């Protein structure tokens, strides 16, 4: 399984470069199914989830060549002849269901394992399915799989454009329906959509293949279906959650840390929350952020997670670690996932004083954590445990680090290069 062993209390300094965004790269790989020609993706992060998405595409029959050293992958979707995303892969990574929209749009048929819940929540896919239905698909659920196809007996029949209203601005549903609309007949309008920068990245990628996707980044996306899509060469945007993680690490124990490829505009709410705490964070330019030693004592604050442009749920465990050592009472409210405080018991084992009350965490800042053996529960909670270890007194062992490796490229190497005392052990 592997673990990180951290000797806490070191000061971090120097430069760290943020990699490509996990939550964009996965969708761009899935969206490549829609193309008739070769896709080249650049700045693809070397993480486990990307490897799983590559496996999914290969299972469908796509050719995929990865050049991890240069962070490039080439996808040839020409030979896709299987429309099933199997349980073995979907259970490893629920984002595998993002192949449903492209397969349905291009081939009129998809069979995908139902992902089920995980360590952060129950994670329904009802909104994805409702969108497909609105666009003329019908589905049935059998033996843990969803079989979905265009509801027409005509050979080569496609989905049709429709007005789709999402009850909640789900990112996955927005992405799946947006991709489904690309090769549909006519215009699809999706209301109350997710607005994350990764949604805009996906729309830009689709448009570079010849799609007609408009207004991504607003709460209503309009897609005019086209007959086919061509190959493209595209660079994945930088990962804002990785950037937020390193900014917080620097806020915890840094002195002069420059975070390159951190686009503060993708992180605006987080950025201002850190300033409110008193983190000495400054914008160098659109793509670079600097964190210096604190000028005064940090203050407790309240944080509520919300879909973008609200405070990102993925940075909730990360900011909780910082607040756990800030004297006074902070309240963190989780509004996106019902089960995203599982890591709190681990943090309390390191001396934090956090009580969970429904979807609120009431944090009494303790000034200092102490090293302990702790587990990772998911990718962000795992990274949060590492941050706790960096600031704690003594040794912290973070186990189950495969969760962290799913989403952070070279996490320990990057922290080591900033001066952290962190080792990976098998
Ligand atoms: N939801 C429904 N029905 C649906 C879809 C979603 O009820 O059909 C609910 C979910 O149960 C959840 C909420 O809506 O409570 C948000 O889910 P959403 O669909 O927005 O999330 P997602 O697309 O499954 C992505 C990221 C997550 C990130 C969330 C929220 C990827 C691969 N995953 O998940 O990232 O937390 O959006 O921003 O893009 C991570 O990177 O660690 C991670 C978990």
């Amino acid at each position: 399984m592997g673990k990180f062993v951290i000797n806490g209390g070191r000061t971090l300094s120097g430069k760290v470069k943020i990699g490509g965004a996990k939550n964009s790269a996965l969708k761009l790989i899935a969206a490549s199914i829609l193309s008739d020609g070769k896709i080249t993706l650049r700045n693809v992060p070397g993480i486990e989830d990307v490897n799983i998405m590559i496996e999914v595409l290969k299972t469908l029959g796509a050719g995929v060549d990865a050049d991890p050293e240069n962070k490039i992958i080439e996808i040839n979707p020409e030979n896709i002849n299987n429309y099933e995303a199997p349980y073995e892969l979907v259970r490893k990574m629920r984002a595998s269901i993002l192949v449903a929209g492209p397969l349905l749009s291009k081939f009129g048929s998809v069979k995908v394992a139902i992902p089920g819940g995980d360590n952060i929540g129950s994670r329904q896919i009802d909104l994805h399915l409702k969108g497909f239905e609105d666009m003329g698909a019908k589905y049935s659920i059998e033996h843990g799989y969803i079989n979905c196809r265009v509801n027409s007996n005509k050979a080569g029949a496609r989905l049709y454009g429709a007005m789709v209203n999402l009850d909640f601005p789900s990112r996955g549903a927005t992405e799946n329906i947006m991709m489904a609309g690309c090769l549909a007949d006519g215009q699809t309008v999706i209301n109350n959509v997710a607005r994350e920068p990764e949604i805009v990245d996906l729309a830009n990628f689709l448009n570079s293949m010849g799609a007609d996707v408009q207004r991504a980044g607003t709460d209503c996306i309009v897609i005019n279906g086209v007959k086919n899509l061509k190959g493209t060469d595209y660079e994945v945007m930088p990962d804002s959650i990785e950037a937020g993680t390193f900014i917080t690490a620097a806020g915890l124990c840094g002195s002069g840390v420059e975070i390159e490829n951190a686009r503060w505009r993708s992180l605006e709410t987080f950025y201002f929350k850190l300033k409110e705490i008193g983190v000495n964070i400054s914008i160098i330019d659109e793509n670079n952020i600097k964190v210096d030693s604190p000028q005064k004592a940090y203050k407790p604050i309240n944080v509520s997670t919300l879909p973008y442009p609200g405070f990102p749920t993925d940075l909730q465990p990360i900011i909780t670690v910082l607040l756990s050592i800030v004297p006074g009472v902070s309240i963190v409210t989780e509004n996106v996932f019902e089960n995203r405080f599982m890591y709190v018991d681990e943090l309390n084992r390191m001396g934090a004083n956090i009580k969970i009350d429904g979807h609120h965490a009431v944090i009494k800042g303790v000034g200092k954590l102490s090293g302990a053996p702790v587990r990772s529960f998911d990718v962000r909670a795992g990274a949060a445990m590492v941050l706790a270890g960096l600031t704690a007194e003594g040794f912290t062992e973070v186990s189950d680090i495969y969760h962290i490796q799913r989403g952070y490229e070279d996490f320990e190497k990057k922290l080591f290069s900033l001066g952290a005392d962190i080792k990976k052990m098998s």
Side-chain angles (χ1 to χ4, degrees), residues 248-283:
T248 309
L252 276 165
C253 41
S255 161
V257 179
E258 264 184 56
I259 298 112
E260 300 178 341
N261 271 354
R263 294 190 184 160
W264 80 278
R265 283 186 199 280
S266 309
L267 277 170
E268 223 167 331
T269 314
F270 168 80
Y271 177 85
F272 285 113
K273 279 293 172 191
L274 257 66
K275 277 210 159 282
E276 206 181 317
I277 294 171
V279 176
N280 192 357
I281 171 174
S282 50
I283 296 165

Side-chain angles (χ1 to χ4, degrees), residues 236-357:
V236 179
M237 65 175 281
D239 196 311
S240 50
I241 305 301
E242 187 194 5
T245 305
F246 277 96
I247 292 168
T248 309
L252 276 165
C253 41
S255 161
V257 179
E258 264 184 56
I259 298 112
E260 300 178 341
N261 271 354
R263 294 190 184 160
W264 80 278
R265 283 186 199 280
S266 309
L267 277 170
E268 223 167 331
T269 314
F270 168 80
Y271 177 85
F272 285 113
K273 279 293 172 191
L274 257 66
K275 277 210 159 282
E276 206 181 317
I277 294 171
V279 176
N280 192 357
I281 171 174
S282 50
I283 296 165
I284 300 173
D285 56 38
E286 285 301 309
N287 293 315
N288 298 291
I289 280 178
K290 185 162 189 201
V291 181
D292 285 306
S293 307
Q295 285 171 336
K296 48 185 186 249
Y298 286 169
K299 282 192 317 203
I301 61 159
N302 296 337
V303 176
S304 287
T305 67
L306 279 175
Y308 189 87
F311 190 92
T313 173
D314 291 344
L315 288 172
Q316 179 263 101
I318 306 285
I319 201 164
T320 297
V321 170
L322 177 56
L323 293 173
S324 75
I325 59 161
V326 175
V329 177
S330 298
I331 298 179
V332 172
T333 302
E334 173 57 55
N335 293 309
V336 180
F337 291 110
E338 70 274 21
N339 204 16
R340 214 168 189 176
F341 283 130
M342 277 174 76
Y343 67 90
V344 161
D345 287 339
E346 300 296 291
L347 205 50
N348 284 343
R349 296 186 53 253
M350 296 178 73
N353 181 351
I354 306 176
K355 290 204 168 53
I356 302 300
D357 181 3

Side-chain angles (χ1 to χ4, degrees), residues 348-401:
N348 284 343
R349 296 186 53 253
M350 296 178 73
N353 181 351
I354 306 176
K355 290 204 168 53
I356 302 300
D357 181 3
H359 63 131
H360 308 287
V362 181
I363 305 164
K364 287 194 182 143
V366 290
K368 198 94 197 126
L369 298 174
S370 63
V374 287
R375 285 169 58 196
S376 314
F377 282 103
D378 70 82
V379 47
R380 309 304 170 190
M385 287 304 118
V386 171
L387 264 49
L390 294 176
T391 179
E393 265 169 6
F395 284 91
T396 296
E397 281 186 21
V398 182
S399 58
D400 296 351
I401 59 168

